[in-house]
Amino acid sequence: MIYNHPLKSFFSVLFITLSLFANNAQASIDSSTLTDDINELILEGNELLTSMNTTTLTAFSMSSQLSGIETDVNAYQADVSALYNSIAAESANSLSLSDDLLTALQALAAVSSSLANANLNLSEQIKGLTDLASTSTLDSALSSMLRLSDDIGVMADRILEMADKILIMADNIGTMADRIIATQIIQSDNLKLVIDATLQTQTNTITLISLFL
């Protein structure tokens, strides 16, 4: 018969308890670090937005202008997706929501809708240059415009999904209920703005394409 000494049993339970505590500590995501990561995306997005809003297309150079913007938007969309993927990989863990984190999520959603509107404005510029641009230049510009719309749409989806995953991981969701509701409303409103602007951009682009078929 094997006899388990009481102290041995005590230390075994203590070891298991401390191990579980350590695992739980490791499974907690730092809210401040995540907020900083999102704020970096906001800064990057605002720089891109400034570039798009200050771009004046010309009939002769709009192809290269839009190609450059497309490259920048695609890179930004990749950065947004990379942060989303890192959050998704931590979805089994938890975090404590803060006002700063929710504010950052709201601001990031606003950036995506602003980029969609900036892209719509560029499509309006193309409409005004169709009589002056060559067919090859126009064809290249319209192709870039469609890819821009796609990247901005994917970006908006990832931002909304990012917010959803963060809220699911929250361990203080009860105390932040009112802010969470407000955040979700803002996220949804911004996604609708992105969809509306993207659809109008694509309509403009397809209309122009049809004129040259």
Side-chain angles (χ1 to χ4, degrees), residues 133-186:
S134 67
T135 301
S136 60
T137 297
L138 191 58
D139 179 67
S140 178
L142 294 175
S143 295
S144 292
M145 185 58 58
L146 289 176
R147 289 191 292 270
L148 276 168
S149 296
D150 183 61
D151 281 337
I152 292 172
V154 169
M155 181 196 312
D157 286 340
R158 291 295 173 270
I159 291 171
L160 183 61
E161 291 167 2
M162 185 191 303
D164 287 342
K165 287 189 177 297
I166 288 172
L167 296 181
I168 289 171
M169 289 188 288
D171 57 14
N172 60 334
I173 196 164
T175 59
M176 302 290 287
D178 291 341
R179 286 298 309 273
I180 289 168
I181 291 172
T183 299
Q184 287 298 85
I185 291 172
I186 292 172

Side-chain angles (χ1 to χ4, degrees), residues 170-206:
D171 57 14
N172 60 334
I173 196 164
T175 59
M176 302 290 287
D178 291 341
R179 286 298 309 273
I180 289 168
I181 291 172
T183 299
Q184 287 298 85
I185 291 172
I186 292 172
Q187 292 278 351
S188 297
D189 287 346
N190 278 298
L191 181 60
K192 183 180 184 302
L193 290 174
V194 171
I195 292 172
D196 290 345
T198 299
L199 287 175
Q200 186 57 54
T201 299
Q202 291 174 342
T203 298
N204 288 349
T205 305
I206 292 170

Side-chain angles (χ1 to χ4, degrees), residues 72-89:
D72 292 340
V73 169
N74 184 261
Y76 183 55
Q77 187 267 116
D79 289 343
V80 170
S81 294
L83 181 58
Y84 165 79
N85 289 335
S86 69
I87 292 172

